[in-house]
């Protein structure tokens, strides 16, 4: 039965070998319909699922896009809403206190720059006082789309934001409006929040202020180098003129400086800096010509302007005496303190003649050469002429300090032209001409027998008047007895508005007859065209006064042994050169004042001085 089954069976029996190989019908590794067929069914299933997914994606794509768009729009709406809220909540801040500060500038009677007082070298001027071509030069250099933009530059903001995030270099390119906001209204730190606030304020400023208002604020606050904030101070510091007097070339040069003021401020003294600024200046002028801001003829005729030397020299030696006197008077006229005056941005036109003042300083210089310590030839000759004991006394007095005070004023008016109060303000801030008490001696002799009225009532009883007061007395005689209160401030303006203008304050202080007696006394003692008389108090002081109906000039000299330690200063005899020095100063200053006055003809000018036709200058004091 076994043999039959093995030979004639149907093959359904499984051998041990087959079982050991794991074989079974339809399941073997290589065989049966379940091998390759299973993989096929798997791939087919995957394909069906992918097809279904594609179909599902195609069917839902529109819905998904709509959802994404809704989310994006919602995000944008929130951002816009936040921006709108931020815009409405943003307030335009007031300018920084230091930005609002201004200096007060002092000029002489001819408008020449004398000096300034104040913590910041800045003066505001209305845009109407800045020539249009200067405005256009700044726009061409800094923001050519200023007239049409919305106050911001999106590209510049994005560039600056990226630089802040990435830690890159600081980026510029802001609009003029943004620069004004940054410099005058906000702090200078480079943060995203400050940049965002800057943009919001700039947009709001552009929407609520005119372009001219923004440009005016910018021009009055932007830094130009050389310590100058604002176009007015920059015009003075670079070219010695007011902003209203800038030329096309000068305006383009100042506009070019704004880019790197700390570098370009050396233009004119550093050839490399000057050459680089010239290139930028050419670029600005080309842009102005292209925009029609200047004509082709103006462009062709432009020449790079000459800059004032930088850094400037020290002017404290003399001019601070003048500024002290004028500042005190100006503050009094406005009813404010001198500190308020210094910070107020005023322009004080003084009565001084700066050319004559500088000449006085030169003429009144010490007779000893300050560099070598050697005596001048004039002083040596005087000492040799003195001879004997007197010569020895003069030579031994090497520690004697000679003081010179000079006052020149206008009779019948009171305007002070020269006020020389010392050789160097830095070493002696006390003004000998205005405040010094100089022993009169015989200087008041012409007034001794007359009755003087206020404010000269007690003059003859004053042992040591100030040079200013004595000059005022002789000016009264020159004006037929009319006393005019001395003044140093002619006019005070601010932002183009006149706040104060001087008018002579006069009163009768002596009779016309007495004034004539003074003139007769003085003319009777000299036959010279300029009668020269001297008054003195022993060897301690020396006075000289020259006057005619247009000018009164007083020179006073005195000497002292300077204070040492706890030892106070003591009077000393004047050197023997004092009289020649006094005469030299008087003649030199007189000719300088009369000679520098444009078209000045004393005989042709009305003045409440001496009798009509009498213009002969008189030098008198004894």
């Amino acid at each position: 039965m076994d043999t039959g089954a093995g030979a004639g069976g149907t093959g359904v029996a499984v051998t041990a070998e087959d079982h050991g190989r794991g074989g079974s019908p339809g399941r073997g590794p290589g065989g049966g319909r379940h091998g390759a067929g299973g993989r096929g069914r798997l791939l087919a299933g995957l394909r069906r699922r992918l097809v279904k997914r594609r179909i599902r994606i195609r069917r839902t794509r529109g819905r998904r896009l709509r959802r994404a768009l809704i989310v994006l729009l919602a995000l944008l709406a929130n951002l816009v809403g936040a921006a709108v809220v931020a815009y409405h909540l943003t307030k335009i801040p007031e300018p920084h206190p230091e930005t609002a500060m201004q200096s007060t500038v002092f000029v002489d009677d001819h408008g020449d720059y004398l000096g300034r007082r104040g913590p910041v070298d800045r003066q505001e001027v209305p845009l109407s006082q800045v020539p249009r071509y200067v405005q256009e030069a700044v726009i061409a250099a800094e923001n050519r789309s200023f007239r049409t933009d919305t106050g911001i530059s999106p590209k510049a903001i994005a560039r600056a934001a990226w630089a802040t995030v990435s830690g890159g270099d600081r980026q510029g390119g802001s609009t003029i409006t943004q620069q004004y906001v940054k410099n005058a209204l906000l702090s200078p730190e480079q943060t995203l929040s400050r940049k965002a606030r800057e943009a919001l304020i700039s947009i709001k400023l552009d929407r609520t202020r005119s372009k001219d208002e923004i440009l005016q604020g910018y021009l009055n606050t932007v830094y130009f180098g050389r310590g100058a904030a604002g176009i007015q101070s920059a015009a003075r510091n670079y070219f010695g003129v007011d902003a209203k007097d800038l030329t096309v070339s000068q305006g383009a040069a100042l506009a070019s400086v704004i880019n790197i003021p700390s570098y370009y401020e050396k233009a004119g003294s550093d050839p490399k800096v000057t050459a680089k600024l010239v290139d930028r200046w050419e670029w600005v002028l080309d842009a102005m010509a292209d925009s029609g801001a200047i004509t082709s003829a103006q462009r062709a005729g432009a020449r790079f302007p000459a800059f004032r030397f930088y850094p400037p020299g020290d002017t404290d030696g003399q001019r601070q005496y003048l500024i002290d006197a004028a500042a005190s008077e100006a503050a009094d006229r406005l009813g404010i303190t001198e500190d308020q005056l210094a910070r107020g941005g005023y322009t004080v036109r003084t009565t001084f003649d700066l050319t004559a003042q500088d000449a006085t300083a030169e003429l009144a210089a010490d007779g000893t050469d300050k560099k070598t310590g050697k005596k001048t030839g004039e002083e040596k000759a005087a000492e040799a002429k003195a001879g004997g004991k007197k010569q020895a006394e003069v030579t031994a007095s090497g520690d004697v300090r000679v003081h010179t005070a000079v006052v020149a004023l206008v009779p019948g008016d009171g305007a002070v032209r020269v006020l020389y109060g010392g050789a160097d303000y830095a070493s002696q801030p006390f003004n000998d001409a205005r405040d010094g008490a100089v022993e009169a001696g015989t200087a008041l002799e012409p007034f001794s027998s007359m009755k003087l009225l206020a404010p000269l009532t007690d003059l003859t009883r004053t042992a040591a008047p100030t040079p200013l007061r004595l000059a005022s007395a002789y000016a009264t005689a020159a004006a037929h007895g009319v006393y005019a209160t001395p003044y140093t401030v002619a006019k005070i303006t601010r932002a183009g508005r006149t706040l104060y203008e001087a008018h002579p304050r006069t009163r009768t202080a002596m009779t016309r007859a007495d004034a004539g007696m003074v003139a007769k006394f003085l003319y009777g003692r000299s036959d010279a065209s300029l009668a020269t008389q001297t008054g003195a108090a022993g060897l301690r002081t020396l006075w000289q006064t020259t006057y005619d109906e247009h000018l009164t000039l007083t020179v006073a000299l005195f000497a002292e042994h300077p204070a040492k330690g706890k030892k106070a200063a003591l009077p000393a005899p004047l050197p023997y050169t004092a009289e020649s020095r006094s005469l030299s100063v008087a003649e030199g200053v007189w000719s300088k004042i009369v000679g520098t006055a444009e078209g000045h003809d004393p005989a042709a000018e009305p003045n409440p001085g001496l009798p009509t036709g009498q213009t002969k200058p008189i030098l008198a004091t004894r």
Side-chain angles (χ1 to χ4, degrees):
M1 186 170 74
D2 291 338
T3 302
T10 60
V12 295
V14 179
T15 65
E17 183 178 355
D18 288 336
H19 186 76
R21 290 176 183 168
S24 61
R27 296 182 180 268
R33 55 182 183 201
H34 295 294
R39 285 195 298 273
R41 285 193 299 275
L42 179 61
L43 291 174
L46 288 174
R47 280 195 296 270
R48 286 194 297 272
R49 284 195 292 272
L50 288 174
V51 169
K52 290 179 180 180
R53 179 172 294 179
R54 289 194 194 101
I55 294 171
R56 188 167 58 251
I57 289 174
R58 281 197 297 268
R59 289 175 178 174
T60 61
R61 179 181 296 169
R63 188 165 60 250
R64 290 173 181 273
L65 287 176
R66 286 193 295 273
R67 288 177 180 175
L69 183 59
I70 291 171
V71 171
L72 180 60
L73 290 176
L75 179 61
L76 289 175
N78 287 333
L79 290 175
V80 171
V84 170
V85 171
Y87 174 83
H88 286 290
L89 292 177
T90 297
K91 294 182 179 180
I92 299 176
E94 293 295 323
H96 297 311
E98 59 270 21
T99 303
M101 289 180 186
Q102 303 181 63
S103 62
T104 285
V105 169
F106 297 81
V107 299
D108 80 345
D109 186 54
H110 304 291
D112 293 330
Y113 181 72
L114 184 61
R116 72 175 182 88
R117 287 279 171 88
V120 178
D121 190 1
R122 188 180 79 85
Q123 276 197 305
E124 288 189 2
V125 291
L127 194 63
S128 59
Q129 291 189 18
V130 181
R132 181 74 178 195
Y133 50 76
V134 177
Q135 301 175 34
E136 294 301 328
V138 172
I139 291 172
E142 293 297 303
N143 178 199
R144 295 180 184 180
S145 64
F146 170 72
R147 299 287 185 190
T148 57
D149 63 35
T150 60
I152 63 170
S153 170
K155 289 183 179 180
I157 293 175
R159 191 167 57 245
W162 174 251
T164 302
V165 172
S166 63
D169 294 334
R170 289 175 57 184
Q171 297 293 313
S174 299
T175 65
I176 281 177
T177 306
Q178 286 177 269
Q179 291 184 55
Y180 173 62
V181 169
K182 177 178 64 178
N183 295 334
L185 308 180
L186 294 178
S187 56
E189 74 266 18
Q190 296 292 314
T191 62
L192 286 176
S193 60
R194 197 206 61 78
K195 269 291 180 184
R197 188 163 180 242
E198 174 189 304
L200 287 171
I201 294 174
S202 298
I203 294 171
K204 196 161 193 175
L205 199 66
D206 189 79
R207 291 173 62 87
T208 57
R209 309 277 175 87
S210 70
K211 289 290 187 180
D212 281 352
E213 286 181 284
I214 296 171
L215 185 59
Q216 176 176 296
Y218 176 76
L219 289 175
N220 278 320
T221 55
V222 66
Y223 184 63
F224 285 87
R226 296 195 176 191
I231 189 71
Q232 174 72 354
S233 295
R236 287 191 182 279
N237 288 6
Y238 281 90
F239 303 113
V241 300
D242 289 325
K244 63 183 176 62
D245 298 319
L246 287 168
T247 65
V248 170
S249 293
Q250 291 170 339
L254 288 181
S256 302
V257 165
I258 297 173
N259 179 244
I260 319 175
S262 60
Y263 177 77
Y264 287 131
E265 68 182 3
K266 303 178 185 67
S269 58
D270 186 317
K272 183 178 179 181
V273 174
T274 304
K276 188 170 182 179
L277 184 61
V278 169
D279 289 340
R280 184 167 175 81
W281 173 80
E282 296 270 8
W283 174 74
V284 170
L285 285 174
D286 288 342
M288 294 175 69
D290 291 341
S291 68
I294 58 175
T295 65
S296 56
Q298 287 176 308
R299 175 65 187 95
R303 297 292 181 270
F304 191 75
F307 281 37
R308 296 180 69 189
F309 180 77
Y310 184 78
D314 183 15
T315 60
D316 279 352
Q318 264 305 303
R319 299 187 181 188
Q320 290 302 325
Y321 288 113
L322 309 183
I323 294 174
D324 270 359
S328 175
E329 184 175 325
D332 182 64
R333 295 291 178 263
L334 295 176
I336 59 178
T337 66
E338 289 191 44
D339 183 64
Q340 290 172 321
L341 177 79
R343 298 169 182 267
Y346 302 95
T347 295
V348 178
R349 180 178 284 270
T350 69
T351 60
F352 302 122
D353 184 328
L354 191 54
T355 302
Q357 183 75 26
D358 291 342
T360 303
E362 184 176 348
L363 291 165
D366 194 338
T368 299
D369 185 83
K370 294 182 179 180
K371 294 183 179 179
T372 64
K374 297 178 180 179
K375 299 290 183 180
T376 63
E378 180 187 3
E379 199 160 43
K380 289 179 179 178
E383 290 179 4
K385 185 178 179 179
K389 180 179 178 182
K390 291 182 179 180
Q391 181 181 3
E393 290 173 353
V394 173
T395 305
S397 61
D399 65 337
V400 172
R401 181 180 179 184
V402 178
H403 291 254
T404 304
V406 183
V407 176
L409 49 80
V410 179
D413 181 276
V416 179
R417 299 299 185 211
V418 172
L419 191 67
Y420 179 86
D424 185 10
Y425 183 89
S427 60
Q428 180 199 302
F430 182 82
N431 191 322
D432 286 329
R434 185 180 67 164
D435 305 311
V438 182
E439 195 173 0
T442 59
L444 293 174
E445 193 175 69
F447 305 101
S448 59
S449 60
M450 65 179 63
K451 181 179 180 180
L452 298 174
L453 305 177
L456 300 178
T457 305
D458 62 344
L459 178 65
T460 56
R461 298 191 299 274
T462 304
T466 67
L468 181 58
R469 190 173 189 213
L470 188 135
S472 299
Y474 279 98
T476 302
H480 296 303
V482 176
Y483 175 87
T485 303
Y487 67 95
T488 64
V489 175
K491 190 176 183 180
I492 305 173
T493 60
R494 185 183 187 188
R497 292 178 56 245
T498 298
L499 304 179
Y500 169 80
E501 193 161 9
H503 299 284
R505 292 186 293 172
T506 60
R507 62 183 302 173
T508 299
M510 66 178 71
T511 65
R512 291 179 66 91
D514 284 341
M517 289 298 296
V518 173
K520 183 178 180 180
F521 176 85
L522 299 175
Y523 274 117
R525 303 190 62 127
S526 175
D527 295 327
S529 59
L530 281 177
T532 302
Q533 299 292 338
T534 59
L539 296 176
R540 298 181 299 279
T541 67
L542 180 66
W543 292 84
Q544 284 190 174
T545 296
T546 306
Y547 79 73
D548 73 356
E549 62 177 344
H550 298 283
L551 187 69
T552 297
L553 174 65
T554 292
V555 180
L557 278 75
F558 65 97
E560 67 176 7
H561 295 290
K564 291 184 179 180
K566 295 182 179 180
K567 187 177 180 181
L570 297 173
L574 287 164
Y576 289 97
T577 56
E579 188 169 352
S580 62
R581 185 187 306 175
S582 177
L583 181 60
S584 174
V585 170
E587 291 179 345
V589 175
W590 184 277
S591 63
K592 182 63 68 173
I593 294 177
V594 174
T596 56
E598 297 181 3
H600 179 63
D601 182 4
E605 295 181 6
N607 191 291
L610 297 178
T612 303
Q614 181 177 330
T615 60
K616 179 180 179 182
I618 304 168
L619 184 62
T621 47
R622 187 163 59 191

mmCIF file of all heavy atoms in Angstrom, residues 78-90:
data_model
loop_
_atom_site.group_PDB
_atom_site.id
_atom_site.type_symbol
_atom_site.label_atom_id
_atom_site.label_comp_id
_atom_site.label_asym_id
_atom_site.label_seq_id
_atom_site.Cartn_x
_atom_site.Cartn_y
_atom_site.Cartn_z
ATOM 1 N N ASN A 78 -4.255 93.164 10.687
ATOM 2 C CA ASN A 78 -3.798 93.428 12.058
ATOM 3 C C ASN A 78 -2.602 94.367 12.064
ATOM 4 O O ASN A 78 -2.502 95.270 12.905
ATOM 5 C CB ASN A 78 -3.439 92.111 12.745
ATOM 6 C CG ASN A 78 -4.659 91.299 13.117
ATOM 7 O OD1 ASN A 78 -5.741 91.860 13.339
ATOM 8 N ND2 ASN A 78 -4.517 89.981 13.169
ATOM 9 N N LEU A 79 -1.675 94.111 11.115
ATOM 10 C CA LEU A 79 -0.498 94.974 11.043
ATOM 11 C C LEU A 79 -0.884 96.396 10.682
ATOM 12 O O LEU A 79 -0.392 97.370 11.287
ATOM 13 C CB LEU A 79 0.503 94.423 10.015
ATOM 14 C CG LEU A 79 1.222 93.126 10.387
ATOM 15 C CD1 LEU A 79 2.079 92.640 9.221
ATOM 16 C CD2 LEU A 79 2.094 93.332 11.627
ATOM 17 N N VAL A 80 -1.762 96.530 9.691
ATOM 18 C CA VAL A 80 -2.210 97.858 9.299
ATOM 19 C C VAL A 80 -2.958 98.533 10.439
ATOM 20 O O VAL A 80 -2.772 99.718 10.723
ATOM 21 C CB VAL A 80 -3.095 97.779 8.036
ATOM 22 C CG1 VAL A 80 -3.753 99.130 7.754
ATOM 23 C CG2 VAL A 80 -2.274 97.339 6.836
ATOM 24 N N GLY A 81 -3.818 97.756 11.089
ATOM 25 C CA GLY A 81 -4.546 98.311 12.226
ATOM 26 C C GLY A 81 -3.616 98.769 13.318
ATOM 27 O O GLY A 81 -3.796 99.847 13.900
ATOM 28 N N ALA A 82 -2.593 97.920 13.590
ATOM 29 C CA ALA A 82 -1.624 98.291 14.612
ATOM 30 C C ALA A 82 -0.867 99.555 14.207
ATOM 31 O O ALA A 82 -0.603 100.435 15.034
ATOM 32 C CB ALA A 82 -0.640 97.147 14.853
ATOM 33 N N ALA A 83 -0.522 99.637 12.909
ATOM 34 C CA ALA A 83 0.201 100.810 12.419
ATOM 35 C C ALA A 83 -0.662 102.057 12.524
ATOM 36 O O ALA A 83 -0.195 103.134 12.908
ATOM 37 C CB ALA A 83 0.646 100.590 10.972
ATOM 38 N N VAL A 84 -1.956 101.915 12.178
ATOM 39 C CA VAL A 84 -2.870 103.055 12.266
ATOM 40 C C VAL A 84 -3.019 103.517 13.712
ATOM 41 O O VAL A 84 -2.978 104.714 14.007
ATOM 42 C CB VAL A 84 -4.243 102.691 11.667
ATOM 43 C CG1 VAL A 84 -5.275 103.788 11.968
ATOM 44 C CG2 VAL A 84 -4.122 102.468 10.168
ATOM 45 N N VAL A 85 -3.190 102.554 14.588
ATOM 46 C CA VAL A 85 -3.299 102.891 16.015
ATOM 47 C C VAL A 85 -2.028 103.562 16.493
ATOM 48 O O VAL A 85 -2.051 104.584 17.198
ATOM 49 C CB VAL A 85 -3.600 101.628 16.850
ATOM 50 C CG1 VAL A 85 -3.499 101.949 18.337
ATOM 51 C CG2 VAL A 85 -4.990 101.096 16.513
ATOM 52 N N ALA A 86 -0.870 102.959 16.114
ATOM 53 C CA ALA A 86 0.419 103.538 16.515
ATOM 54 C C ALA A 86 0.578 104.947 15.961
ATOM 55 O O ALA A 86 1.096 105.849 16.645
ATOM 56 C CB ALA A 86 1.558 102.642 16.041
ATOM 57 N N TYR A 87 0.159 105.150 14.713
ATOM 58 C CA TYR A 87 0.263 106.476 14.092
ATOM 59 C C TYR A 87 -0.546 107.503 14.880
ATOM 60 O O TYR A 87 -0.077 108.598 15.166
ATOM 61 C CB TYR A 87 -0.217 106.401 12.649
ATOM 62 C CG TYR A 87 -0.282 107.737 11.951
ATOM 63 C CD1 TYR A 87 0.850 108.297 11.380
ATOM 64 C CD2 TYR A 87 -1.490 108.434 11.865
ATOM 65 C CE1 TYR A 87 0.793 109.529 10.743
ATOM 66 C CE2 TYR A 87 -1.554 109.672 11.236
ATOM 67 C CZ TYR A 87 -0.416 110.210 10.670
ATOM 68 O OH TYR A 87 -0.483 111.428 10.049
ATOM 69 N N HIS A 88 -1.797 107.127 15.216
ATOM 70 C CA HIS A 88 -2.649 108.074 15.938
ATOM 71 C C HIS A 88 -2.167 108.308 17.366
ATOM 72 O O HIS A 88 -2.367 109.395 17.917
ATOM 73 C CB HIS A 88 -4.095 107.584 15.936
ATOM 74 C CG HIS A 88 -4.779 107.755 14.609
ATOM 75 N ND1 HIS A 88 -5.119 108.976 14.097
ATOM 76 C CD2 HIS A 88 -5.167 106.840 13.668
ATOM 77 C CE1 HIS A 88 -5.700 108.836 12.915
ATOM 78 N NE2 HIS A 88 -5.738 107.536 12.629
ATOM 79 N N LEU A 89 -1.542 107.294 17.949
ATOM 80 C CA LEU A 89 -1.034 107.453 19.315
ATOM 81 C C LEU A 89 0.306 108.185 19.352
ATOM 82 O O LEU A 89 0.704 108.699 20.398
ATOM 83 C CB LEU A 89 -0.882 106.074 19.981
ATOM 84 C CG LEU A 89 -2.181 105.324 20.286
ATOM 85 C CD1 LEU A 89 -1.869 103.951 20.886
ATOM 86 C CD2 LEU A 89 -3.075 106.128 21.235
ATOM 87 N N THR A 90 0.993 108.208 18.218
ATOM 88 C CA THR A 90 2.309 108.860 18.168
ATOM 89 C C THR A 90 2.144 110.372 18.203
ATOM 90 O O THR A 90 1.383 110.948 17.426
ATOM 91 C CB THR A 90 3.077 108.450 16.892
ATOM 92 O OG1 THR A 90 3.319 107.049 16.938
ATOM 93 C CG2 THR A 90 4.405 109.188 16.803
#
